Amino acid sequence: MEKGKPRGTRPSIDRINETEGYSFSNIAAMSQHDNTSRAKAQPHFLIKMYDSRNPESSRTFRKYDTKREALEAIGLSQTESDSGKYYEADGCVYLLQSSALTHGKKELIQKEDDDKEKTYRGSILIATIELDDGRTATISKEFTYIQSAVIIKELPVE
């Protein structure tokens, strides 16, 4: 806590079990450096939502051993994971998620709806109909959102 000491040596509190909230029974004191290292050491998924150069490769994902490796893959040095925000790098749009969030073991970090936040648009296909002249039309519902997550659930093998 003394002035002039490196930021990494400052005290920090971390949750022992990431799926539970902050409580006296679920916190541990550690240096800020150790807390940051622990967070970055968890497996992360980098999900490519859109690729402007090759749209066919959109909506693909790759698992990395650490958050740091995932960030390095797209040329970012530091950013928040599990925020539901999109990150743009080299003509692509990505989501960065921990393995826990991706597998549904952790919830998305909820952000208050703030007018300054970037809002995204999407749509859900409702139906495809054939018109009298043989053309096909789609009916979809548009929506806006400030966060999103991709959850991968394993299906039971029959």
Side-chain angles (χ1 to χ4, degrees):
M1 302 278 294
E2 295 176 24
K3 286 186 176 183
K5 296 288 182 183
R7 183 180 184 145
T9 62
R10 293 179 186 171
S12 176
I13 295 178
D14 192 27
R15 290 177 290 170
I16 297 167
N17 182 344
E18 294 287 328
T19 63
E20 296 178 15
Y22 287 92
S23 66
F24 285 116
S25 62
N26 191 40
I27 60 172
M30 61 183 63
S31 71
Q32 187 152 0
H33 175 268
D34 289 345
N35 195 348
T36 302
S37 295
R38 182 174 176 220
K40 287 184 177 180
Q42 298 174 9
H44 274 68
F45 281 86
L46 192 57
I47 302 158
K48 187 189 298 183
M49 300 302 290
Y50 180 72
D51 185 337
S52 63
R53 295 170 313 217
N54 186 6
E56 293 80 32
S57 74
S58 298
R59 297 190 181 96
T60 59
F61 65 92
R62 180 172 173 197
K63 183 177 181 180
Y64 292 85
D65 291 335
T66 66
K67 178 181 175 182
R68 181 181 310 264
E69 289 176 11
L71 289 171
E72 287 174 354
I74 58 173
L76 294 177
S77 59
Q78 179 64 23
T79 194
E80 187 177 26
S81 58
D82 299 342
S83 68
K85 292 182 181 179
Y86 292 105
Y87 299 101
E88 296 181 34
D90 199 26
C92 298
V93 177
Y94 296 94
L95 271 174
L96 177 64
Q97 299 181 178
S98 67
S99 182
L101 175 63
T102 306
H103 291 295
K105 297 176 183 170
K106 177 182 177 182
E107 291 190 18
L108 186 66
I109 298 169
Q110 295 297 314
K111 300 286 184 182
E112 290 186 27
D113 190 2
D114 182 10
D115 291 338
K116 296 176 186 171
E117 294 281 339
K118 188 170 184 179
T119 302
Y120 306 103
R121 298 175 58 90
S123 64
I124 297 175
L125 177 64
I126 304 296
T128 302
I129 58 172
E130 188 172 326
L131 302 174
D132 291 337
D133 61 5
R135 293 182 298 143
T136 303
T138 59
I139 301 169
S140 48
K141 173 68 178 164
E142 291 194 12
F143 58 92
T144 60
Y145 56 98
I146 60 170
Q147 296 177 281
S148 66
V150 175
I151 310 299
I152 300 171
K153 294 192 176 185
E154 293 184 30
L155 298 174
V157 178
E158 295 182 21

